[in-house]
Amino acid sequence: MHVSWLERGDPSGRPLLHFHGWPSSRLEQFAEEDLLKKHKLRWFSLDRPGYGETTFPAEHTFKHWAATVDQWATDQGLDQFHVLGFSGGGPFAQAIAAHLPHRTLSLNLIASLAPFGPDFLNHPPPWKGPANGILKYAPSLAIFVFQLFNLYRKINPLAYERLQLSNLHPLDQKILNRPETLDRFAQSHAESMRQGVRHIIEDLLLYKSQWDFNHDSITCPTRIYVGSADIQVPPECSKWLAKRISGATLTEYPNQAHYTAHLPADEILGDL
């Protein structure tokens, strides 16, 4: 299976695998080059299945992704690595830590999703209401809607990014509403939909499914970061994960929202 990826930072530094949010791509970043070199980190950002140029497999599961990353790491000559997952990339990072404990040095989660349901986090998910019904009974309709969004994005990328920005918390808008940041997001979103949009909906269906790993299997040092004002992913997700993963630490930023990592990036990378 082909995986597209981007390497940044210190070529001789400690390997860190970054798993982007939903929907995004390997072009997503919250740490500039000088910060990665300061902390001696060799940053690898991998496109998940269907994003960028990464193949979308017939079997789209967390376990399959872990096996893909296992082979990718072998091909790159990486024995062990740190893992960082942001938002929708969080579940995929958790899967790596659970399925590849011998490789994972630490798990780092920023505004991560958690499994929802009576036996897990009993809290309304981000896809509550009509969106949940569409995903459950008419996923093809969800794909069609995202196709329209993608068409709009192609016609006017900046207007699309400003539309996305309008749905964020004012704290996030303050961080992101800069020309260079919006341009970076536009590039990342364009890359995320290079192959279409089906994989974006398949990710949502995977988040809603029974996850194929147990959080008891995560034994590496785990650090979790969340903004208490997050309206994209409920902060309850991070709190649940902090209780569920043995030894996990939780850092909560009271005056930050979803894109909290854009401000304390130095602190987060320094914790590695």
Side-chain angles (χ1 to χ4, degrees):
M1 173 174 160
H2 176 72
V3 176
S4 52
W5 49 281
L6 176 67
E7 180 178 350
R8 303 169 54 236
D10 185 349
S12 59
R14 297 168 295 150
L16 171 64
L17 307 192
H18 166 257
F19 299 106
H20 60 76
W22 177 97
S24 190
S25 74
R26 67 188 183 282
L27 302 182
E28 170 187 292
Q29 56 177 290
F30 69 87
E32 300 299 334
E33 196 76 17
D34 58 346
L35 200 56
L36 295 175
K37 291 180 178 178
K38 172 185 174 181
H39 293 291
K40 297 180 171 56
L41 290 170
R42 187 182 180 192
W43 171 290
F44 295 93
S45 187
L46 282 66
D47 281 325
R48 298 203 307 272
Y51 295 83
E53 298 180 6
T54 297
T55 306
F56 188 82
E59 179 187 0
H60 185 46
T61 63
F62 292 120
K63 185 176 181 179
H64 186 274
W65 175 241
T68 299
V69 172
D70 191 29
Q71 183 59 55
W72 175 89
T74 298
D75 293 342
Q76 308 312 315
L78 302 177
D79 293 326
Q80 293 183 305
F81 40 74
H82 299 275
V83 175
L84 186 152
F86 169 64
S87 189
F92 291 87
Q94 295 166 47
I96 299 300
H99 287 299
L100 306 177
H102 58 293
R103 284 192 181 272
T104 309
L105 295 172
S106 72
L107 172 63
N108 306 272
L109 302 172
I110 302 171
S112 175
L113 282 169
F116 291 89
D119 297 328
F120 300 97
L121 176 58
N122 196 9
H123 185 278
W127 48 82
K128 59 184 179 293
N132 188 47
I134 292 174
L135 286 172
K136 184 175 181 179
Y137 299 109
S140 59
L141 176 58
I143 293 174
F144 175 71
V145 170
F146 262 86
Q147 286 173 335
L148 293 179
F149 272 116
N150 192 27
L151 179 60
Y152 177 52
R153 180 198 59 76
K154 290 179 179 179
I155 294 172
N156 195 330
L158 184 58
Y160 175 84
E161 295 307 323
R162 293 200 179 281
L163 175 63
Q164 298 299 312
L165 194 67
S166 68
N167 294 320
L168 300 180
H169 192 285
L171 289 168
D172 284 332
Q173 293 179 17
K174 184 178 179 180
I175 294 173
L176 303 177
N177 194 15
R178 295 175 296 184
E180 66 275 14
T181 306
L182 287 178
D183 182 63
R184 183 181 294 175
F185 268 67
Q187 293 179 42
S188 187
H189 282 142
E191 192 66 11
S192 76
M193 302 181 199
R194 173 193 283 256
Q195 300 184 54
V197 300
R198 176 194 163 200
H199 56 285
I200 294 173
I201 302 305
E202 291 291 345
D203 265 1
L204 284 179
L205 295 174
L206 185 57
Y207 297 145
K208 284 169 50 62
S209 71
Q210 182 80 26
W211 293 12
D212 59 18
F213 61 88
N214 192 311
H215 286 83
D216 290 336
S217 301
I218 300 177
T219 57
C220 63
T222 300
R223 292 172 284 269
I224 302 170
Y225 307 88
V226 65
S228 60
D230 195 340
I231 61 173
Q232 306 304 117
V233 174
E236 285 77 10
C237 287
S238 293
K239 296 175 183 178
W240 184 89
L241 289 166
K243 292 179 180 178
R244 190 66 182 79
I245 300 174
S246 178
T249 62
L250 175 66
T251 300
E252 189 169 1
Y253 299 101
N255 298 313
Q256 299 302 331
H258 191 59
Y259 290 91
T260 178
H262 285 254
L263 294 183
D266 192 15
E267 173 188 340
I268 291 173
L269 296 180
D271 289 343
L272 287 170

